[in-house]
Amino acid sequence: MKVLKFGGTSVGSSNSIKNVKSIIQSIDGQKIIVLSAMSGVTNLLVEISDNIHLGNQTDLIRLEESLKNKHLELVETLIPQSEIRSVVLQGLEKLFAEFHLLIHGEFSENSANQILIFGETLSTYIFNEYLRSCNIASILLNAKKFMFVGNLENPDTAKINQHLQPFLKNISEDAIYITQGFVRIDKFNRISTLKRGGSDYTATIIGAAIDAEEVQIWTDIDGFHNNDPRYVANTHPLSNLSFEEAAELAYFGAKILHPQTISPVIEKHIPIYLKNTFTPELHGTKISSEIHSKGLKAISAKDGITAIKIKSNRMLMAHGFLKKIFEIFDFHETAIDMITTSEIAISLTIDDTKNLDLILNDLEEFGEITVEMEHSIICIVGEGLIEDANTYKLFEILNEIPVRMISYGGSLNNVSILVASENKVFALKALHQKLFSSKPVAIGLKF
Ligand code: ADP
Ligand code: ASP
Ligand code: MG
């Protein structure tokens, strides 16, 4: 069994959905297809939620209309046979009637999550009906019946397998199952999400749960690039990445993969292929336990980082000081990404500021606290990077941009630097130029 995930742009128009159909048909064997919502739809649903919260009826009606039209128009262009189309449109009307009740009913965290996942309900319904209209037998699976992810960081894939297996009854060699990405049932059995971009994670969780042969992630770019193509010119796709390299890059902001995508498949050595729905003939990127080459490979950046400095004379010679500091973060369930220390101070970074006030309150007794928001961690990755003869060039950047923290030597595969977010793009370009290209590129620093 293979797991194939198609992202928002891949299901974003009737033409791209036709591409998805051809890709699926060209791949042998049984497969589970995980779909995202059409591109832009989850953002629209977030807006709908915000407007319910604000009690803004006029905007709510407008947004509901626009969501509906987008999907009605898709069905109109995708399914030419008028009889089949009218049945599919009736089904769609039914889904929208339920959605109408949901958004005009009582608003709670629970209903907000149900609203958020509606895009995936729509895309999978339409895609399944489209395949059937082309005489391709497919089976729609309801992710709410098996995606039991109580612990977001460490899903119990055996439990998911146990709930999923009863639905995988079609023994045909080419069985096609379709299911919703992004959806999860939390530890209180409530509908929730795997966080934004979470359909990638759905695919690898399912892959690990069913011991899939491979996971394919189909998107709108030809694989994992060596830098963020949204900010840097002349990036190129990497044909191979190790699990560790890809995990670091995804965790530290490479938007092509949800931060947790890699972890479920590492232990089972299930390879992930990143492919472009619009140019399926290209190789893309294979992520696996194989190490194809050593040295500098890629750069990514994670925004929304807060740096906290604790300055204390009591740290001098005091064993147990760091333990007490870490216990505070642990107590407030806040993960630390980077740490640097000096004799009298420790600086660390977090990305989740939900409990920041409580953390600061508890830290106060340990010394003078400084907080700096709006920073970005830039992560430079490659197996054995630290031993690469070119790595020294990295430090030349310290002359050019104000680096707030640097983490070197934590592993052989990674160097992280913390910069103010307003300098992120400059830093990405400067590093790209120094590390990957011989030609100078136009860069501009904002202070
Ligand atoms: P999908 O909707 O298919 O999940 P995403 O928009 O989430 O697609 O991810 C693909 C996008 O990620 C690309 O279009 C690209 O702009 C962006 N991206 C950021 N960093 C990278 C990278 N290192 N390699 C490739 N794409 C990247
Ligand atoms: N639709 C969800 C989002 O936009 C999940 C995904 O596309 O991966 O975040
Ligand atoms: Mg994505």
Side-chain angles (χ1 to χ4, degrees), residues 15-311:
N15 277 339
S16 48
I17 290 181
K18 287 174 188 165
N19 279 357
V20 172
K21 184 193 89 174
S22 325
I23 290 166
I24 291 172
Q25 284 182 301
S26 71
I27 295 166
D28 291 337
Q30 299 193 326
K31 29 202 175 279
I32 298 184
I33 314 297
V34 174
L35 298 185
S36 290
M38 289 176 80
S39 58
V41 164
T42 311
N43 287 345
L44 203 59
L45 294 166
V46 171
E47 243 188 285
I48 286 181
S49 240
D50 291 347
N51 278 286
I52 303 174
H53 198 58
L54 295 168
N56 198 340
Q57 281 296 318
T58 326
D59 279 347
L60 186 57
I61 292 164
R62 177 182 56 79
L63 292 166
E64 186 183 1
E65 201 63 15
S66 134
L67 181 73
K68 197 167 169 181
N69 288 339
K70 195 176 168 88
H71 290 87
L72 292 178
E73 279 162 24
L74 177 68
V75 173
E76 296 286 348
T77 46
L78 200 55
I79 303 181
Q81 311 94 314
S82 59
E83 271 169 37
I84 303 180
R85 189 173 62 230
S86 72
V87 176
V88 177
L89 287 174
Q90 276 170 30
L92 204 54
E93 288 291 349
K94 244 172 123 181
L95 290 175
F96 272 105
E98 286 166 23
F99 183 69
H100 184 79
L101 292 179
L102 179 65
I103 65 174
H104 293 281
E106 202 175 313
F107 188 65
S108 63
E109 196 186 325
N110 199 22
S111 66
N113 280 332
Q114 295 194 41
I115 292 169
L116 267 190
I117 61 156
F118 187 53
E120 274 71 12
T121 307
L122 292 168
S123 63
T124 48
Y125 167 73
I126 294 172
F127 187 65
N128 185 48
E129 294 299 330
Y130 167 61
L131 288 190
R132 291 158 66 123
S133 77
C134 303
N135 292 319
I136 301 169
S138 55
I139 298 158
L140 189 57
L141 303 178
N142 184 352
K144 292 177 207 158
K145 298 267 181 332
F146 61 85
M147 279 303 285
F148 292 96
V149 181
N151 180 342
L152 196 54
E153 275 77 41
N154 193 11
D156 179 351
T157 52
K159 181 172 179 185
I160 292 164
N161 182 44
Q162 187 198 337
H163 286 85
L164 176 55
Q165 279 306 334
F167 298 111
L168 305 180
K169 287 208 180 104
N170 185 334
I171 43 157
S172 136
E173 269 180 23
D174 297 317
I176 298 174
Y177 299 96
I178 298 167
T179 196
Q180 304 80 28
F182 194 37
V183 175
R184 78 164 168 131
I185 306 299
D186 70 11
K187 62 180 170 195
F188 306 109
N189 281 329
R190 290 176 314 208
I191 291 173
S192 186
T193 72
L194 293 171
K195 302 216 173 140
R196 294 304 306 271
S199 300
D200 303 323
Y201 197 24
T202 308
T204 52
I205 292 174
I206 294 180
I210 62 163
D211 272 318
E213 233 173 285
E214 63 187 55
V215 174
Q216 301 180 5
I217 294 184
W218 291 83
T219 181
D220 59 3
I221 191 163
D222 53 350
F224 214 118
H225 279 224
N226 62 343
N227 204 331
D228 193 325
R230 293 170 299 170
Y231 305 118
V232 179
N234 304 321
T235 61
H236 66 79
L238 299 156
S239 23
N240 291 281
L241 279 173
S242 69
F243 283 134
E244 285 71 17
E245 288 169 335
E248 294 265 18
L249 290 163
Y251 184 75
F252 286 109
K255 184 184 179 248
I256 186 167
L257 290 180
H258 177 280
Q260 315 280 354
T261 308
I262 309 296
S263 61
V265 295
I266 295 184
E267 238 172 69
K268 295 188 168 175
H269 301 278
I270 301 169
I272 304 174
Y273 294 87
L274 299 183
K275 300 273 292 177
N276 191 339
T277 303
F278 305 95
T279 51
E281 66 286 358
L282 296 181
H283 177 278
T285 302
K286 179 181 179 185
I287 301 170
S288 68
S289 40
E290 296 156 19
I291 296 172
H292 281 256
S293 61
K294 292 222 160 198
L296 284 167
K297 209 145 298 153
I299 304 171
S300 63
K302 177 173 170 179
D303 296 328
I305 302 295
T306 298
I308 302 170
K309 185 166 77 190
I310 305 128
K311 196 172 160 203

Side-chain angles (χ1 to χ4, degrees), residues 322-342:
L322 289 179
K323 178 171 176 272
K324 286 181 198 142
I325 299 286
F326 291 151
E327 271 169 359
I328 292 172
F329 286 86
D330 186 36
F331 181 77
H332 295 292
E333 295 181 348
T334 301
I336 296 169
D337 280 330
M338 262 179 100
I339 311 163
T340 55
T341 58
S342 77

